[in-house]
Amino acid sequence: MKYSLCTISFRHELVSFEHLIEYAHRTGFAGIELWGVHARALAHTFQSQIEPWMSKLKSYGLKIPMISDYVGLMDNQSPPSAMNMKLQEWIDLAYRFETRQIRIFAGHLGSSQADDEQWELCMDRLRKLTEKLAENGLTLVLETHPNTLADTLDSTLRILKEVDHSSLRINLDFLHIWEGGSDPIEAYQALKPWISHFHMKNVTEPEQLAIFQPQNVYSPSGLREGMVSLREGIVDFERIVTCLTDDDVDCCASLEWFGKEPFQYLSGEMEWLRHVSTPSIPYEVRR
């Protein structure tokens, strides 16, 4: 298994991209997942530095596995020109940061809330976006996430069947697929042919899942209580990591951390993950 850190984990930190590159290399990460907000900011403000940054990344054997962004797939008022502008922006950013994957959410309504018209609008836009990205050698990645059409295993499989394109892939978020009522390993087995990335995070109690709602995550004063390390939460990540290791999975998994002290947390997680993948490696709990 290969692991990436997410720049969104540092959304409230004053830290440079070059610092993150050095930290990722030093800590044993294989890559850096770029939040779309950060990718745009870097591309617009630091154009001359992108090439040196990418050279440093590659010299360390690191890469940008994915750019994670958002688009209004169910917005009836959104003109085709707006969707085309977003598409072109993704292509430009993917080229600049040498990645092939663009991650989005499948709309803004849960699968049980959307009516037939909303489903069809979302599927039609997904088909068009996937086809255009594929023409440019890129892949569209849908994340399993609450309050989207990909909020359960069944609805995610339905999307894959209806869009029916080899360049539409899945970012399996183990916590959220569990939240949607599925066993994470069973979901992994069912979605395996389409998975190209994983997200890993955990929480102490089901009642605290709301802390991952976007409005809370993005707020500097949002609640963080309940966000815990992978080994401590309600989803059994030791079982998951062992399964992925046994399967010799070639995908990358990003560690999504939205709590405090991201440097300390991520360093500890990498130590634990190395221990789980190779039990002979000692592990010491960091506090």
Side-chain angles (χ1 to χ4, degrees), residues 80-99:
S81 58
M83 200 68 63
N84 289 335
M85 287 178 62
K86 174 65 75 172
L87 179 66
Q88 189 58 54
E89 181 183 58
W90 288 340
I91 294 169
D92 292 343
L93 289 174
Y95 176 78
R96 283 176 177 269
F97 293 103
E98 301 183 33
T99 185

Side-chain angles (χ1 to χ4, degrees), residues 15-16 42 74 86 91 103 139 156 167 179 204-205 214 222 224 282:
V15 55
S16 69
L42 293 173
M74 291 178 171
K86 174 65 75 172
I91 294 169
R103 185 233 63 176
T139 299
T156 304
S167 288
E179 182 180 358
T204 53
E205 301 290 342
R224 305 293 181 247

Side-chain angles (χ1 to χ4, degrees), residues 51-258:
E51 187 174 341
W53 284 336
M54 296 307 299
S55 294
K56 177 167 283 191
L57 267 171
K58 287 184 283 188
S59 73
Y60 287 155
L62 303 174
K63 65 177 183 178
I64 307 294
M66 190 162 73
I67 294 175
S68 293
D69 205 26
Y70 316 93
V71 63
L73 292 176
M74 291 178 171
D75 183 1
N76 279 311
Q77 307 304 315
S78 180
S81 58
M83 200 68 63
N84 289 335
M85 287 178 62
K86 174 65 75 172
L87 179 66
Q88 189 58 54
E89 181 183 58
W90 288 340
I91 294 169
D92 292 343
L93 289 174
Y95 176 78
R96 283 176 177 269
F97 293 103
E98 301 183 33
T99 185
R100 295 184 63 250
Q101 298 192 127
I102 303 294
R103 185 233 63 176
I104 63 171
F105 291 157
H108 64 280
L109 292 174
S111 57
S112 63
Q113 300 171 297
D115 59 29
D116 290 343
E117 183 179 350
Q118 290 165 324
W119 261 95
E120 186 48 45
L121 176 62
C122 191
M123 295 305 102
D124 180 61
R125 287 177 169 174
L126 281 176
R127 290 186 198 100
K128 291 176 180 176
L129 289 174
T130 303
E131 288 170 1
K132 290 297 184 180
L133 287 175
E135 290 172 5
N136 288 272
L138 305 178
T139 299
L140 188 65
V141 182
L142 287 183
E143 181 169 331
T144 55
H145 200 280
N147 301 314
T148 74
L149 296 187
D151 58 356
T152 69
L153 174 58
D154 288 344
S155 65
T156 304
L157 289 168
R158 176 183 171 183
I159 293 170
L160 291 165
K161 180 179 180 180
E162 292 190 11
V163 175
D164 190 25
H165 198 293
S166 60
S167 288
L168 182 66
R169 309 291 289 177
I170 295 297
N171 173 39
L172 177 58
D173 186 304
F174 287 106
L175 177 65
H176 289 322
I177 206 70
W178 176 89
E179 182 180 358
S182 294
D183 176 84
I185 298 298
E186 291 177 5
Y188 160 67
Q189 296 295 346
L191 293 169
K192 189 188 296 188
W194 298 277
I195 293 171
S196 64
H197 204 87
F198 301 99
H199 271 176
M200 294 182 173
K201 57 179 175 285
N202 221 337
V203 67
T204 53
E205 301 290 342
E207 293 76 20
Q208 294 171 313
L209 285 164
I211 60 177
F212 294 116
Q213 292 179 356
Q215 63 269 27
N216 184 67
V217 165
Y218 303 151
S219 171
S221 59
L223 298 175
R224 305 293 181 247
E225 184 178 354
M227 297 179 183
V228 293
S229 66
L230 297 178
R231 67 183 182 277
E232 294 176 305
I234 50 180
V235 172
D236 186 352
F237 270 96
E238 182 166 358
R239 173 174 171 248
I240 290 169
V241 173
T242 299
C243 174
L244 298 179
T245 301
D246 290 345
D247 263 10
D248 196 22
V249 173
D250 192 38
C251 298
C252 194
S254 292
L255 306 186
E256 278 198 306
W257 177 246
F258 301 120

